[in-house]
Structure formats: structure tokens, C-alpha cells
Amino acid sequence: MYQTFVAAGLAVLLLGTGPTAIRASQVSVDVELVIAVDVSGSMRTEEHELQRRGFLAAFSDETLIRAIQSGPYGRIAVTYMEWADQYSQSVLVPWRIIKDHATARVFREELAPKPRSAISGTSISSALLFATSLFAKSPYQGSRKVIDVSGDGPNRTGKHVNAVRDAVLRQGIIINGLPLMLSPMLRHKTHGVDLHHYFEDCVIGGPSAFVYPVRVKEQFAEAIRRKLIIEVSGQPAQVVLAAQRSRRLVNCQIGRSNIDSW
């Protein structure tokens, strides 16, 4: 069942508490990773299935497991959430340690049977707020905190995405993007802007932040696998680093149907 914790996430950002606080009881990990998956109504059934299968396959991949084990602590903490409009976010798998094939299998077995959701509306900003609130509830303390957000369109409702992005970055959280451009329209432009350029300029940020656009379904599983390996290893991406992009003037408010404050 979908729940909304956007208000909690907003409080964390405004009060400057939560994600940066360290409790003595927290277990140290190399990365705390929030996987934030777009399940908005514009996502086709095939795209939903490709996305879910891609994450399930990635967490059975030997290269990813080795990347996890190569860190100083040899373990990461992961939670998997789905999102759609500004009122629709839900955790499918709460925070779990992954350190080897056995713990990765537990994560996959918990995620695999969860029903697929499809809800209208696209609020990347609300997804980022919700994801940020999850760090405050984590029983783990990561050397890095990362939000891995997918999406097949621009932010349409909720707070301004670039303002929320900036507030999240001030918490020391890295945001990486997986723009889904499988439809012929999205492979070219949406609202006159390439979606991966929109993600670069309006959504992602933090040290070595990057986007990994998916343009054909055959790329989906490999894109997810490679993206997770980069995030886990903490190495600069050889994909599209935010610092390497050409100077553009992307309007971060394109596509909005509901203008709120900030």
C-alpha cells in the first residue's frame, strides 16, 4: 500500500537533521543506497517488468558482488522504493545488508514477489524527499549515501525538482539518474529537451554524480548492472559525469502541471 512521507523528508531537509546524524548503534557500511523506481502511469507494462528484472539480475551478478566485497567494510545497505505522483511513494524492501551471494539472494527473494504498481503522475521531487527521509530511518551508517532514481519523464507535480535536488545535496547525499527513454518520443526529445540532459541539469548531483540513459530495451539489464557497480565502487563513471556535460540552459520546470512553492 502506498504511503506518503514527503512531509517527513521535507522536515529533514529544512531542519538539517536525519541523514547526517550518526547514532552509536548504527552498523558501518560502504554505501547506503536508495533505489527509487518510477512506476508512474506513463510506464508501460514491459518497462515495469524490464526494470524489476534488471535489478533482480544485477543482485545475482558476480561482478557486482565482488564490487561490494572490495570496499573497506565489504558490505552495503540497500532499500528499494517505488514512486509516482507527489502522494505516492512506497518501500518494497526496507533497509537490508548485502555482503555476499546469500544476502543478495535474500534481497531478491523479498523483492521478486512484490506486486507491480502503476499510478498516474510523476513527481521526481517528491521521490527525492521520500528517499531522503529513508536515510534518517536507516540502522546503518554509510561512508556514502546515494539515491539511484529512474524516470521516464520530467517532474510534473510537487516541489520544484532543482530546488529539492539542491537541498538533498546539502545533506551530503549523492543523486544518480537512470533516464528511461524507450519510447520513440523519449529517444529524441520530451518538451523539446533530451530527457538525459534534463536529468543531468535538474535531477542529479554530488561527487561523481552521473546519468545512465536507457534507449532500447536490450540495454536495460546491463545499464542497471553497470550503474550499480559504479555506485557501489565509488569510482567516477565513464558514462556521463555531471562535471563533463556541456553548458546548457535546460528549463527544470518543463512539463509541470502544478506549480508549488520553491
Side-chain angles (χ1 to χ4, degrees), residues 3 6 38 43 87 96 100-101 165 191 227 230 261:
Q3 307 174 59
V6 170
D38 182 2
M43 293 281 289
Y87 305 110
R96 296 286 183 259
D100 51 26
H101 282 290
R165 183 267 317 275
H191 298 280
K227 189 168 188 291
I230 293 166
S261 59

Side-chain angles (χ1 to χ4, degrees), residues 56-67:
L56 292 172
F59 281 104
S60 64
D61 181 74
E62 180 65 33
T63 306
L64 177 59
I65 299 301
R66 286 201 304 268

Side-chain angles (χ1 to χ4, degrees), residues 58-133:
F59 281 104
S60 64
D61 181 74
E62 180 65 33
T63 306
L64 177 59
I65 299 301
R66 286 201 304 268
I68 292 170
Q69 294 174 335
S70 68
Y73 295 107
R75 57 181 178 256
I76 66 171
V78 181
T79 183
Y80 188 104
M81 60 168 277
E82 292 182 338
W83 62 272
D85 66 26
Q86 65 196 101
Y87 305 110
S88 303
Q89 304 88 29
S90 180
V91 173
L92 272 66
V93 181
W95 287 107
R96 296 286 183 259
I97 283 278
I98 297 182
K99 60 181 180 179
D100 51 26
H101 282 290
T103 48
R105 182 173 61 252
V106 170
F107 179 86
R108 297 196 311 271
E109 290 175 348
E110 192 168 0
L111 174 61
K114 295 295 174 67
R116 178 182 66 81
S117 303
I119 298 175
S120 296
T122 302
S123 182
I124 300 173
S125 59
S126 299
L128 293 177
L129 288 171
F130 182 90
T132 298
S133 75

Side-chain angles (χ1 to χ4, degrees), residues 177-248:
L178 186 74
L180 308 178
M181 305 165 67
L182 299 184
S183 73
M185 180 180 70
L186 289 177
R187 282 200 294 272
H188 299 285
K189 292 182 182 295
T190 176
H191 298 280
V193 175
D194 288 319
L195 184 62
H196 75 272
H197 292 166
Y198 175 87
F199 264 71
E200 288 171 8
D201 287 7
C202 304
V203 178
I204 71 168
S208 297
F210 67 98
V211 297
Y212 203 129
V214 179
R215 294 183 173 85
V216 295
K217 63 182 182 180
E218 291 78 14
Q219 293 178 332
F220 220 123
E222 179 63 10
I224 289 173
R225 186 186 75 89
R226 288 190 61 194
K227 189 168 188 291
L228 287 171
I229 290 170
I230 293 166
E231 289 167 335
V232 166
S233 66
Q235 298 301 312
Q238 299 302 312
V239 192
V240 184
L241 282 174
Q244 294 175 341
R245 65 180 181 249
S246 59
R247 186 171 181 82
R248 292 183 299 269

